[in-house]
Amino acid sequence: MLKTYKILISGLVQGVGFRPHVYNLALKFSLFGSVSNNEIGVIIYVSGVEKCVKDFYNKLLNFPPPVSSIKESSIVEMEFQNFEDFKIIPSSKDGQLNLPLTPDFAICEDCKNDIKSTNNHRYNYAFTTCVHCGPRYALTETFPFERKKTSIHEFPMCTTCEDEYTNPSNRRFHSQTNTCSTCGISLKLINKKGETVETSELNLFKKIRNLLSKGAIVAIKNTSGYLLCCDAENEEVVNKLRVKKNRPKKPFAVLYPSLKQLQKDFVLNEQQLKSLTSVVRPITIISYQNYKGNLALNAIAPSLKQLGVMLPYTGILQLLANGLDFPIVATSGNIYGSPITSKNEDAFEKLKGVADYFLQHNLKIQQPQDDSVVKFSTKFNQQILFRRSRGLAPNYLDCNINSNEKILAMGADLKSSVAFYPNQYLYISQYIGNLENYDVYNRFIGTISSFFNIFEEQPRVVIVDKHPNYHSTKYGKELAQKTNSTLVEVQHHKAHFSAILGEHDLFHEKVLGVVFDGTGFGDDAAIWGGEFFNYEENRIDRISHFEYFDWLLGDKMAKEPRISLLSLASEEMNELINKKFTSNELKTYKTLKKSNTLKTSSVGRLFDAVASLLNIVDYNSYEGEAAILMENMVIDYKLSSCKSYLTSIENGISSKKIIENIGIDFKNGNSKERIILNFLYTLAHLIVEIAKSKEYRHVACSGGVFQNATLVDMLLELVPKEINLYFHKNLSPNDENCSFGQFMYYLNIKNLK
Ligand SMILES: [Zn+2]
Ligand SMILES: [Zn+2]
């Protein structure tokens, strides 16, 4: 007997080829009915023999399209309906939108082959996509993900594309981003005077490869924003790019034309390989010990032993890569500190002093995104996310949320992101950047209003950091007033702790929270950054922290490690200190120190002081440079040969004591590498000792300091079996996670002030 069933599937099921997949599966099982997108996901009606429908359902759940992700599903029998065939029907939207936004997917192998084959309709077409690949979030204006709601709608399909779109056996059946060179997006190469140099698809990329090989800097409009590119083996041009971009030392990422070429230069482990070729295709930071290739490493990643590499992830980059016999620097198209540019005129205005040529196209980018950045620790392969952006944003699917409130969390300031909960899904924006920069601040506001547009919702609760001068806090307060929302303030490090509790679903346990980072406004108005918290029964309490030391000279302290050293150094170190300052500076700073009342427990500044003490760096040219340089100096470690610089913590956790002991070791001729290892061991040992002494079974670590892969490895090695250790994996440990943490804090913590 024939029966009719209604199947509902929610999760990441739109813009991922789900409906065509269902269609083809239904045909295989000889089932009639329909499939469509709705506000919660995909809805399927099928009529058939019960066993056959159940087999179809199981097959669908067990083998969904490769880039999809099912959250929930249900099947119920309903009144019998006689269908004549199986149809894909257009989207219906009756209720409130309740589905993930589809992220951007890297170009698939089939599409790569299409653009490479001379006899293919899409030979050389840079915007080749299919249901399995291509930009999604980058082009999204509103939802659900349908062509007419993306910037692709400006390019009506030609008959060939239309045929593919309507042919169930075609890979582009119902592919919303389907275009070809007849109907689609066109490219244009211009020089810095604005004159058109080349428009022919056939010659364009050959020309760019040629220009790059001759030392030109080319700004390339990709599908998620502009990239600045140059020959990575040409030291002169890489240095030129540094000067023009006003980015003296921060490492550049390198795009390799192919995996084969990358593997010729580097040995990759399984994790790195998986990451580099995944649909996210992030920049993956790998170590380049014993590197013997031709990269201009001193210019690309000065003083570092690691490098961010990636593989082509769009048709544009793939066409550039085909026939390219050298790797290229590919860095976000901006002046250092500004957001990634995505509009032709804007990019031309801002970058004409940087790039010699511009590759432009006429596809509008709605959501500009930088490349995501990831690293794996050497010993335990722990995934550490440095930047969560293209391919990952904006969905955050792995957390338990039970709330009907519309909540907006504004995040921090330095590594900004926002979290929005307009329905039953949480969306965390791409990394936005440092809000101190005016253009970044505008991008931040734009991202929030675009969230409001997409979901057609406004918040009822706005959560901000307690720091009164954060731009995100000020804007959040305005927004709360404008939208008549409840305003909630969350302390910075409690937000970090809540983020790691949320990421690992730990709100039902008793947990030791360890939050080490640069700065954050504390409950006592001191600058926190070396904190230990207790979580239990929906309360967070600060139980211990690094002893306070003087916070001197405001923001200058974070930029000049020598000032952290000055703050932490004892009288015995005068000789060393005197070398780092002019006598005038010394006089002023020492007077300041005497009258100073602002205190800090920051572990970030402790790293700075160690770096200055060891004469590694006195001035940071980019955020976190001192810590990165220090991490780079250690390659391998043996726990048994490490010692702690804190002999006792009975009278407090003293940063001054650590600096004093390091000073002695350094004076006695111990190597910098040895001292750095001991210093990292000191932190790891301290965490484990506190956990053991207070009998914790769960220890959760957050804050920028935990980007240090050696520290993470040491902790994993040092921790006894009975203690579970948690690190961020799908969120960055740095301030990017504060928006998520603020949100989790609001939902779970009772001592909300
Ligand atoms: Zn494809
Ligand atoms: Zn076409």
Side-chain angles (χ1 to χ4, degrees), residues 158 161 179-180 183:
C158 66
C161 284
T179 58
C180 72
C183 59

Side-chain angles (χ1 to χ4, degrees), residues 121-122 156-162 164 178-184:
H121 175 54
R122 285 193 176 71
M157 278 185 277
C158 66
T159 46
T160 316
C161 284
E162 192 82 49
E164 293 170 329
N178 201 25
T179 58
C180 72
S181 50
T182 311
C183 59

Side-chain angles (χ1 to χ4, degrees), residues 121-284:
H121 175 54
R122 285 193 176 71
Y123 174 56
N124 262 332
Y125 180 58
F127 300 88
T128 299
T129 63
C130 71
V131 294
H132 303 128
C133 75
R136 303 282 192 272
Y137 178 51
L139 312 180
T140 300
E141 287 170 6
T142 55
F143 238 58
F145 193 80
E146 293 277 353
R147 188 182 190 96
K148 61 177 188 281
K149 294 174 175 178
T150 69
S151 32
I152 294 281
H153 76 84
E154 289 178 18
F155 306 91
M157 278 185 277
C158 66
T159 46
T160 316
C161 284
E162 192 82 49
D163 285 348
E164 293 170 329
Y165 188 85
T166 47
N167 175 3
S169 64
N170 196 289
R171 207 171 81 244
R172 299 192 171 92
F173 179 47
H174 274 256
S175 169
Q176 305 302 325
T177 51
N178 201 25
T179 58
C180 72
S181 50
T182 311
C183 59
I185 304 135
S186 51
L187 286 163
K188 181 164 87 171
L189 184 70
I190 65 167
N191 62 23
K192 59 182 166 189
K193 288 186 208 142
E195 298 157 347
T196 302
V197 176
E198 186 64 70
T199 54
S200 143
E201 268 183 14
L202 224 53
N203 305 328
L204 207 56
F205 289 98
K206 201 170 153 196
K207 181 122 201 173
I208 296 172
R209 284 192 291 271
N210 197 18
L211 289 168
L212 287 169
S213 75
K214 288 189 174 131
I217 297 173
V218 185
I220 293 177
K221 186 181 180 187
N222 206 2
T223 48
S224 43
Y226 269 87
L227 290 174
L228 281 164
C229 301
C230 71
D231 179 355
E233 294 179 349
N234 179 339
E235 186 159 339
E236 199 184 321
V237 68
V238 180
N239 281 326
K240 196 166 104 186
L241 179 59
R242 283 208 174 280
V243 173
K244 291 186 165 188
K245 210 174 133 86
N246 190 20
R247 179 164 148 154
K249 283 185 185 158
K250 195 175 179 188
F252 286 137
V254 174
L255 177 82
Y256 266 79
S258 69
L259 182 61
K260 208 172 143 199
Q261 278 156 294
L262 177 60
Q263 283 182 311
K264 224 177 87 197
D265 277 10
F266 296 95
V267 180
L268 302 172
N269 66 29
E270 202 183 315
Q271 225 95 4
Q272 292 164 338
L273 193 68
K274 227 172 117 185
S275 163
L276 283 159
T277 54
S278 69
V279 287
V280 177
R281 225 155 291 179
I283 293 171
T284 304

Side-chain angles (χ1 to χ4, degrees), residues 44 133 137 156 253 266 317 364 366 374 376 540 615 682:
I44 305 163
C133 75
Y137 178 51
F266 296 95
L317 295 181
K364 264 192 214 129
Q366 306 290 352
V374 69
F376 299 91
I540 287 179
N615 295 321
T682 304

